[in-house]
Amino acid sequence: MTHAPTPEQAAPTIPRILLPGIVPVLAFASPILLLFGWMIFGGTTSRRFFEGAPFQATLGVVVFLTGVGALLAVLVLVGIRTMLQQQLALAARIGHDRQAPRTDAR
C-alpha cells in the first residue's frame, strides 16, 4: 500500500482590523472644511472695511486648520491600521510556520 501524503495545514485566516467609525466622517468632512476655510479666508482679501475683517480672517484660518487636522487624523489612523494589519499577518504566518510539522530529516 502506498502512503497518501499528509495534507498541509491551511493558512490561518487573519482577522481584519477595522478602522474607528470616526474615520469616514473625518475623511468626508476634511475636504469640505479645507474648501470652506479657504473660501472664508479668501473673502477677506478684497474687503477693506473693518480693517480687512479680522474676525472673518480668523474664522477662515480656524476652519482651514480644522480641515488640515481632520485630514492628518485620517492619514495617521489609516497608517496605524495598515501597520497593525501587516504585523498581525506576519505574526500569524510565523505562528503557522512554527506549528506546521517538519518534513526534513535531521
Side-chain angles (χ1 to χ4, degrees):
M1 301 207 126
T2 60
H3 294 284
T6 58
E8 281 191 31
Q9 292 178 346
T13 59
I14 301 168
R16 296 265 309 159
I17 297 175
L18 300 177
L19 287 170
I22 193 73
V23 172
V25 174
L26 290 175
F28 178 74
S30 64
I32 293 171
L33 289 172
L34 289 169
L35 179 65
F36 283 156
W38 176 69
M39 289 171 57
I40 292 170
F41 183 77
T44 61
T45 58
S46 62
R47 296 177 65 183
R48 291 291 172 214
F49 63 98
F50 299 126
E51 291 86 25
F55 175 74
Q56 183 178 354
T58 304
L59 180 66
V61 168
V62 167
V63 171
F64 185 81
L65 290 178
T66 303
V68 169
L71 183 63
L72 286 175
V74 168
L75 293 175
V76 166
L77 287 171
V78 168
I80 289 173
R81 184 224 158 261
T82 303
M83 289 187 292
L84 287 175
Q85 189 70 45
Q86 289 174 351
Q87 290 295 319
L88 185 62
L90 181 65
R93 189 175 61 197
I94 289 172
H96 174 69
D97 290 346
R98 285 186 181 176
Q99 291 177 356
R102 294 184 177 232
T103 57
D104 59 343
R106 287 192 179 191

